Amino acid sequence: ERRLRAIHLVACRHLKNGNLAVSQEKFEEILSTLVEEYGEGHKRVGTALHNLGIVHMRAGNYSESIDAIEAAIRIRVNKLGENHPKVADSLVELGIVLVHKNEFEKSVEFFNEALAIREIEAEEMEDDDEREKNRIQLQIAKIHNNIGCAYFEVGELEDAKEAFEATLEIQRENSDSSSKSTVPSQLAMSSTICNLGFVHLEKAQWEPASQLLSEALKIQRTILDDKNKLVMSTMEHLGYAYIKYGNYDASLEVYSDLVDIKKSIHDVEDCTYLDVGDLEVANAMKYLVYCGMKL
């Protein structure tokens, strides 16, 4: 038992560090040991298959990942019951693999199955266990977000908007109820706000898009460096939304900041002559010049 725990820790560490071949080898060793000791249908074998499926997904081995996760689901349903949270965990991972395979509509089916299980879990939770209730609600929020992303990819913008709004409602409630909101939770909320902003961009609804992206950027700049790619990406989209909305003053301010950030990253002082490495600066300056011409 101690040996298996040690191997598991090693496998997880290699997975976190991106050493997928070593991680896969270790998880396969755990799987084979558990099958030999407990048989193929044991719940711990289901856990090992689930973990192995995640490694295969990270490595881009999607067929192997689906095989492992589907086997994990069968075992978990059989041993733990069809509404067990661990079944939901595996259903979510299966949905994510299908997203990677661009099978978005099919992925939504599995996300919805997982969502139904999590909602049952939330209903059965004791009212006095606030911390556990918040944990489950955040799991529900993540599933709604996955559904929103899948719908967005197939152009179902109203369904995507509904899913992202459900995500954001939970995240805001959790942030308000927590005495100290964590950096990961704030980043997750800013990403959801961005996703909603992107939906409005796709629908050519420039005012709500700019309001949402501005809110997201404000959160991101309180916890991330301006040179962070997420911050710069949000600035680019926000500047574009302001242009389309006709708010050229606001767009000029955003793109001026963005040019300064990108110049500092690429160490560009004189933008008269730009090489290939400075194309990001040139792109930001293009919008900066456009805004200046409109004013």
Side-chain angles (χ1 to χ4, degrees), residues 178-249:
S178 300
S179 58
K180 188 176 180 181
S181 187
T182 65
V183 169
S185 67
Q186 287 294 299
L187 277 176
M189 188 162 68
S190 76
S191 293
T192 304
I193 296 169
C194 278
N195 288 341
L196 263 177
F198 297 153
V199 170
H200 286 291
L201 283 178
E202 287 293 314
K203 297 177 75 172
Q205 296 171 342
W206 313 119
E207 182 178 12
S210 60
Q211 290 171 344
L212 287 161
L213 291 168
S214 177
E215 181 185 358
L217 182 62
K218 191 177 295 184
I219 295 171
Q220 291 166 4
R221 294 184 95 168
T222 61
I223 53 183
L224 298 172
D225 187 272
D226 279 352
K227 296 178 182 180
N228 184 279
K229 288 183 178 180
L230 179 61
V231 172
M232 291 191 292
S233 174
T234 304
M235 291 179 75
E236 287 175 353
H237 286 95
L238 176 58
Y240 176 76
Y242 278 142
I243 286 175
K244 300 299 289 186
Y245 183 46
N247 191 344
Y248 300 112
D249 283 318

Side-chain angles (χ1 to χ4, degrees), residues 3-62:
R3 173 178 162 273
L4 282 178
R5 279 201 299 269
I7 297 172
H8 179 80
L9 289 173
V10 171
C12 289
R13 186 172 68 249
H14 283 292
L15 178 61
K16 183 179 180 180
N17 294 333
N19 302 322
L20 300 178
V22 178
S23 182
Q24 178 183 331
E25 179 186 332
K26 296 301 179 184
F27 278 123
E28 285 175 344
E29 182 180 350
I30 293 171
L31 176 61
S32 109
T33 301
L34 290 173
V35 168
E36 185 176 343
E37 186 169 346
Y38 297 108
E40 293 184 352
H42 195 273
K43 64 182 182 180
R44 292 184 65 184
V45 172
T47 299
L49 285 163
H50 174 93
N51 292 335
L52 186 58
I54 292 173
V55 178
H56 280 305
M57 176 173 60
R58 299 274 182 88
N61 304 324
Y62 299 132

Side-chain angles (χ1 to χ4, degrees), residues 45-47 49-50 67-77 90:
V45 172
T47 299
L49 285 163
H50 174 93
D67 289 343
I69 295 172
E70 284 182 338
I73 291 170
R74 286 193 295 271
I75 292 171
R76 287 178 159 181
V77 167
S90 293

Side-chain angles (χ1 to χ4, degrees), residues 14 23 41 45 67 87 129 146 150 251 260:
H14 283 292
S23 182
V45 172
D67 289 343
V87 176
D129 196 343
N146 290 340
S251 185
D260 288 342

